[in-house]
Amino acid sequence: MSNRMINILVPVISIILGLLVGAVVMLISDYNPITGYTALWNGIFGDSYVIGETIRQISPYILAGLAVAFAYRTGLFNIGVEGQLIVGWFAAAYVGMAFDLPKIIHLPLALLAAALAGALWGLVPGILRATLKVHEVIVTIMMNYIALHVVNALIKTISGGGFKTERIKETASLRSEFLSNLTDYSTLHYGIFVALAMVVVMWFILEKTKTGFELKSVGFNDNASKYAGMSVNKNIVMAMVISGAFAGLGGAMEALGTFGNMSSMGGFTGIGFDGIAVALLGANTPLGVIFGASLFGSLKYGANNMPNEAGIPVEIVSIIIALVIFFVACGYIIRVGLERLRNKKEAK
């Protein structure tokens, strides 16, 4: 069994185990797992409308996963993707509603604003890690809450005491009449193409540029990188800034595509936190993130059909999704088991 085969089997086994234990939970709770998973399947692939909505749900997960994966590949753990996504959402919504510009300028400007806002939110923990050695996990967790409350205050300010921004101008929208009609009037928009383009951007930066080589080198061994003449502090800051930019674009998907505005939030969206599991499932690779995001986006949207079609309470649906995430997080244990199995076969 090759290492490549193990890399493929680990996430597959993780998903299967999560679904199997989820079936046990449904049985214990007196619900039919076959009916439940049939409802889940129909909620993902039942017709063109739900397929469109599922793809739309996948877009921000791809970008959140890229943000986590990029930081991880450079030796950092960015738990602040949620906050970076929130400020990116607000920046895109504000630029989208505040300016009257041609679409060829307005839409790229709104996307750029979201990326810059996320990058700025990643800059602070990057600087603190590089200069004062403050662990980025601690800083990014705190900055999630700062982002949530600052953005809520800004929404209240610009809306004159209201709880949501004005709708963005049509010239800043990612909405697509063609894609909507193709999927029976779903909210599918061009954001999926932006997300896939960012997958290519991440791959290109890490694999084809000198900057990417330095970023990965610092992540592997900062002392060796410093000895080789690389600026460790500069690369730490740059890694967090690029990671934050990916997260900010994830917020733009919601502002410019799905909702067309931003409302005050009582809590986190969860997309940024799920991005951690997406990146883990995708082995922190650009292509892997697509598959990880597809799984989580599908589960999140398709699970909404389980209470409607199968009568399974939302609490149990949440448990099933959490079980999949749990087994994905336990992928290292599965990997060790597979490697031991391979070593035993080779010894024989």
Side-chain angles (χ1 to χ4, degrees):
M1 188 184 302
S2 65
N3 286 330
R4 187 174 184 180
M5 180 60 67
I6 290 176
N7 289 337
I8 295 172
L9 285 175
V10 168
V12 171
I13 293 173
S14 299
I15 295 166
I16 292 173
L17 286 174
L19 294 176
L20 286 175
V21 177
V24 173
V25 171
M26 283 189 277
L27 283 172
I28 293 173
S29 304
D30 292 328
Y31 294 102
N32 188 333
I34 296 177
T35 303
Y37 285 138
T38 300
L40 176 63
W41 177 268
N42 291 336
I44 300 171
F45 303 108
D47 54 43
S48 60
Y49 175 82
V50 298
I51 291 174
E53 291 294 333
T54 299
I55 296 172
R56 185 267 304 164
Q57 184 77 51
I58 290 168
S59 303
Y61 279 102
I62 291 177
L63 289 157
L66 290 177
V68 176
F70 190 91
Y72 189 86
R73 291 283 296 276
T74 58
L76 300 168
F77 193 11
N78 184 8
I79 299 187
V81 172
E82 181 72 22
Q84 293 150 15
L85 183 145
I86 289 172
V87 296
W89 186 338
F90 175 78
Y94 179 77
V95 171
M97 70 170 219
F99 298 99
D100 287 308
L101 297 166
K103 192 177 185 72
I104 195 171
I105 299 174
H106 202 180
L107 178 55
L109 183 64
L111 291 171
L112 180 61
L116 288 175
L120 178 63
W121 223 250
L123 175 66
V124 176
I127 290 176
L128 291 175
R129 171 62 188 271
T131 57
L132 301 176
K133 307 303 178 188
V134 180
H135 204 288
E136 71 276 2
V137 169
I138 298 171
V139 180
T140 52
I141 287 174
M142 292 190 293
M143 290 197 69
N144 285 335
Y145 290 94
I146 296 171
L148 176 65
H149 295 298
V150 166
V151 165
N152 280 344
L154 288 171
I155 291 172
K156 191 172 183 179
T157 299
I158 67 172
S159 63
F163 297 98
K164 62 181 179 180
T165 65
E166 295 178 15
R167 291 197 63 81
I168 62 170
K169 304 289 196 305
E170 188 63 33
T171 50
S173 177
L174 283 168
R175 288 288 181 92
S176 165
E177 185 176 346
F178 169 74
L179 293 176
S180 180
N181 292 339
L182 190 66
T183 53
D184 198 18
Y185 304 105
S186 74
T187 56
L188 179 62
H189 53 76
Y190 288 126
I192 186 64
F193 300 112
V194 175
L196 292 174
M198 290 304 105
V199 171
V200 177
V201 168
M202 175 176 164
W203 169 81
F204 183 80
I205 291 174
L206 289 178
E207 306 299 335
K208 298 296 180 181
T209 66
K210 177 187 173 184
T211 299
F213 176 77
E214 290 189 4
L215 289 170
K216 290 188 293 183
S217 296
V218 171
F220 283 129
N221 192 318
D222 55 352
N223 291 321
S225 299
K226 187 175 182 180
Y227 183 78
M230 300 177 191
S231 175
V232 173
N233 290 348
K234 183 193 79 173
N235 282 289
I236 288 174
V237 173
M238 188 180 298
M240 286 301 297
V241 165
I242 296 173
S243 175
F246 284 133
L249 284 171
M253 299 300 98
E254 304 296 83
L256 307 179
T258 305
F259 297 102
N261 64 356
M262 187 177 192
S263 302
S264 295
M265 294 181 289
F268 295 118
T269 67
I271 296 172
F273 298 121
D274 287 341
I276 299 171
V278 168
L280 286 172
L281 186 61
N284 296 300
T285 64
L287 183 60
V289 164
I290 295 177
F291 293 108
S294 298
L295 171 67
F296 278 89
S298 299
L299 284 176
K300 285 288 184 178
Y301 186 79
N304 295 327
N305 192 49
M306 294 174 74
N308 299 329
E309 187 174 318
I312 297 174
V314 292
E315 292 80 5
I316 293 180
V317 173
S318 298
I319 290 172
I320 294 168
I321 294 174
L323 283 168
V324 174
I325 297 173
F326 172 78
F327 280 103
V328 168
C330 294
Y332 177 76
I333 299 174
I334 298 171
R335 179 181 299 276
V336 170
L338 290 172
E339 287 176 350
R340 286 185 177 178
L341 181 64
R342 178 186 64 182
N343 293 337
K344 284 182 180 179
K345 286 185 177 181
E346 289 177 352
K348 290 179 181 180

